[in-house]
């Protein structure tokens, strides 16, 4: 089970909340939004958005968002077949490097 955000699935709720806090903005409908900056903080179960005035730094009433979590199937970033493929590519690089070294040694003789 995982948590979906912007078509990406996160394994843990904390990972989901951290990703959400990095992409959050003030809710739409906030008047004069261009004159404020926001700070987003991921808590255990919700996300707090605090807006501050650019003119005098006055904090506004914070918004607290409790996102509705949608279950999805989490898959690890690398599967076993990916790891095997990368391993063979690394072996190939080492073989080519060894071959070039041997060719240089033969030319120098």
């Amino acid at each position: 089970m995982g948590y979906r955000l912007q078509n990406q699935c996160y394994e843990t709720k904390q990972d989901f909340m951290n990703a959400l806090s990095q992409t959050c903005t003030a809710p739409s409908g906030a008047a004069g939004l261009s004159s404020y900056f926001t700070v987003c903080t991921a808590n255990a179960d919700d996300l707090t958005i605090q807006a501050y005035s650019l003119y005098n730094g006055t904090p506004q009433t914070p918004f607290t968002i409790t996102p509705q979590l949608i279950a999805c199937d989490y898959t690890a970033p690398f599967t076993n077949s990916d790891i095997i493929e990368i391993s063979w590519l690394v072996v190939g690089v080492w073989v080519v490097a060894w071959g070039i070294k041997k060719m240089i040694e033969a030319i120098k003789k």
Side-chain angles (χ1 to χ4, degrees):
M1 260 327 215
Y3 302 98
R4 184 188 324 241
L5 174 66
Q6 298 175 344
N7 291 328
Q8 185 172 356
C9 194
Y10 294 92
E11 183 177 16
T12 65
K13 188 174 184 180
Q14 188 61 46
D15 291 341
F16 171 81
M17 295 300 289
N18 290 340
L20 182 61
S21 70
Q22 292 176 5
T23 60
C24 78
T25 58
S28 60
L33 189 59
S34 62
S35 61
Y36 293 93
F37 71 93
T38 58
V39 176
C40 301
T41 307
N43 303 313
D45 293 321
D46 59 16
L47 184 73
T48 303
I49 302 172
Q50 178 68 60
Y52 295 91
S53 170
L54 286 176
Y55 301 114
N56 58 14
T58 305
Q60 304 300 308
T61 304
F63 299 101
T64 301
I65 299 173
T66 304
Q68 183 179 9
L69 301 176
I70 300 171
C72 64
D73 293 328
Y74 174 78
T75 57
F78 294 107
T79 62
N80 287 341
S81 62
D82 290 336
I83 294 170
I84 291 171
E85 184 177 349
I86 290 171
S87 299
W88 278 113
L89 291 172
V90 169
V91 167
V93 168
W94 280 103
V95 168
V96 169
W98 177 81
I100 291 172
K101 179 182 174 186
K102 289 298 179 182
M103 285 176 25
I104 290 172
E105 290 174 359
I107 290 173
K108 285 184 178 181
K109 288 183 180 182

